Amino acid sequence: MAEFVRIHEVGPRDGLQNEKGVISVARKVALIDLLSQSGLRDIEVGSFVSPKWVPQMADTDQVLAQLHPEPDVRYAVLVPNMRGWEGFLQARRADILTEIAVFIAASEGFSQSNLNCSIAESVARLRPVVAAAQENGVVVRGYVSCVTDCPFDGAVAPQQVADTVAMLREVAPMQVSLGDTIGKGTPERVGAMLEAVLGAAPATDLAGHFHDTGGQALANIETSLDLGLRAFDSAVGGLGGCPYAPGAPGNVATEAVLALLDRLGYETGIDRDVIAQAAEMARAMR
Ligand code: HMG
Ligand code: MG
């Protein structure tokens, strides 16, 4: 039997957070609803972050209110602090499976730019968020950004990434998505980073999150597969970027990842035709 790879669709969040204009709630919901029909089990739909920092995500409460949930799909949102947790709690619906994602960086420069605080402060801020999520039975996922390069500090040492992953998992056991935020990673460097991180967390608790600036994202996914990872983030239509990471264009496209996994003989449970339709819809939003 073919091995299963889990795809975490991040287009509606990591993609649309970076668009110049604000996309209407109706268009976001149409995209999320179509993605929900594809067989995807994880869709990141928005963020409860400061609307001054990321205005494109300010309507996440309405997106959650209006989407038409599929019972097997988990809808994820980013939460940086207790203020974001409160926003999530108010918007949370009893009839949908939800997940929150907390996010930190492996480099101090990006932590300051993205969260306005040091790495240590960001971990302190997310502790009560994770505790509240646990009390409320909400699954928590973690992100570590800049796992190979930082737009401000340059190359990031593999051991620094491993130490950051360990800091996050000391707060609570969680899946950690490793973000090549500006897409400068190469298979060789991603491999070295993963070798170090695998000393801090098992492959089953890790996901790869590759932006495709250097056109290396698919090769980086192949390297990650070779090292045992079976979960990857991608964005339909190659939407994406991070507003606080200059030089972070699209995430690797979901349709390209599915084609690669198909070719390599992995199972995803995702209908590529539905994803192709969603990719067209996503590209029309740019
Ligand atoms: P700050 O300015 O230091 O926050 O920002 P503060 O606590 O001093 O608050 C300032 C104001 O923001 C206050 O309002 C707060 O109430 C409000 P005011 O009194 O001025 O009217 N505020 C909030 N409002 C709504 N929701 C909240 C919230 N928190 C404070 N949650 C903060 C700190 C964390 C808020 C800010 O830096 C922020 O929102 N950052 C998020 C940036 C972001 O979303 N980046 C993109 C996502 S990360 C990413 O894309 C990388 C990833 O894809 C992986 C990869 O590729 O590497 C995940
Ligand atoms: Mg990203």
Side-chain angles (χ1 to χ4, degrees):
M1 217 175 75
E3 266 195 90
F4 193 82
V5 169
R6 193 156 179 144
I7 300 294
H8 189 100
E9 169 62 47
V10 296
R13 192 281 303 172
D14 206 353
L16 300 184
Q17 76 179 8
N18 208 39
E19 291 306 310
K20 295 237 161 20
V22 173
I23 316 280
S24 70
V25 172
R27 292 183 79 195
K28 289 180 179 179
V29 167
L31 179 63
I32 294 163
D33 284 351
L34 182 55
L35 291 167
S36 299
Q37 300 301 320
S38 69
L40 275 163
R41 288 288 169 268
D42 297 275
I43 306 177
E44 206 165 80
V45 297
S47 314
F48 288 93
V49 299
S50 163
K52 286 184 194 141
W53 284 63
V54 187
Q56 295 88 340
M57 293 290 113
D59 54 13
T60 296
D61 55 344
Q62 294 169 57
V63 170
L64 274 181
Q66 291 179 36
L67 64 81
H68 299 89
E70 280 297 317
D72 295 334
V73 178
R74 242 179 0 200
Y75 297 90
V77 293
L78 260 54
V79 171
N81 55 15
M82 282 309 280
R83 172 74 199 270
W85 168 259
E86 297 299 334
F88 164 73
L89 213 51
Q90 276 180 20
R92 187 185 179 196
R93 282 169 56 176
D95 61 335
I96 71 176
L97 271 176
T98 39
E99 171 183 278
I100 64 161
V102 292
F103 50 109
I104 64 174
S107 66
E108 291 294 348
F110 187 68
S111 186
Q112 287 296 344
S113 166
N114 197 45
L115 290 167
N116 202 24
C117 64
S118 68
I119 299 170
E121 282 163 346
S122 71
V123 174
R125 270 188 200 169
L126 64 83
R127 267 180 207 284
V129 174
V130 172
Q134 285 175 329
E135 272 165 37
N136 286 273
V138 175
V139 175
V140 181
R141 186 176 202 238
Y143 278 105
V144 171
S145 287
C146 299
V147 296
T148 59
D149 297 271
C150 169
F152 309 102
D153 302 350
V156 178
Q159 194 53 46
Q160 169 72 17
V161 183
D163 293 346
T164 312
V165 169
M167 261 162 94
L168 195 51
R169 284 168 55 85
E170 182 270 320
V171 176
M174 62 178 85
Q175 185 187 64
V176 178
S177 174
L178 300 164
D180 178 8
T181 315
I182 55 171
K184 282 183 90 173
T186 57
E188 202 183 13
R189 294 179 61 227
V190 166
M193 178 275 294
L194 287 175
E195 299 276 7
V197 170
L198 285 167
T204 45
D205 281 1
L206 297 172
H209 176 110
F210 297 105
H211 288 256
D212 203 19
T213 325
Q216 295 288 307
L218 292 175
N220 291 335
I221 288 175
E222 281 205 62
T223 296
S224 309
L225 286 164
D226 289 344
L227 287 167
L229 271 67
R230 294 292 181 269
F232 296 97
D233 303 350
S234 60
V236 71
L239 285 172
C242 174
Y244 292 98
N251 291 78
V252 65
T254 305
E255 54 276 23
V257 177
L258 293 179
L260 173 76
L261 292 172
D262 230 12
R263 183 168 64 71
L264 296 176
Y266 290 96
E267 193 80 57
T268 60
I270 299 169
D271 184 332
R272 288 175 60 187
D273 291 337
V274 179
I275 292 295
Q277 282 175 46
E280 214 169 289
M281 191 188 272
R283 279 192 289 267
M285 290 179 172
R286 298 195 116 162

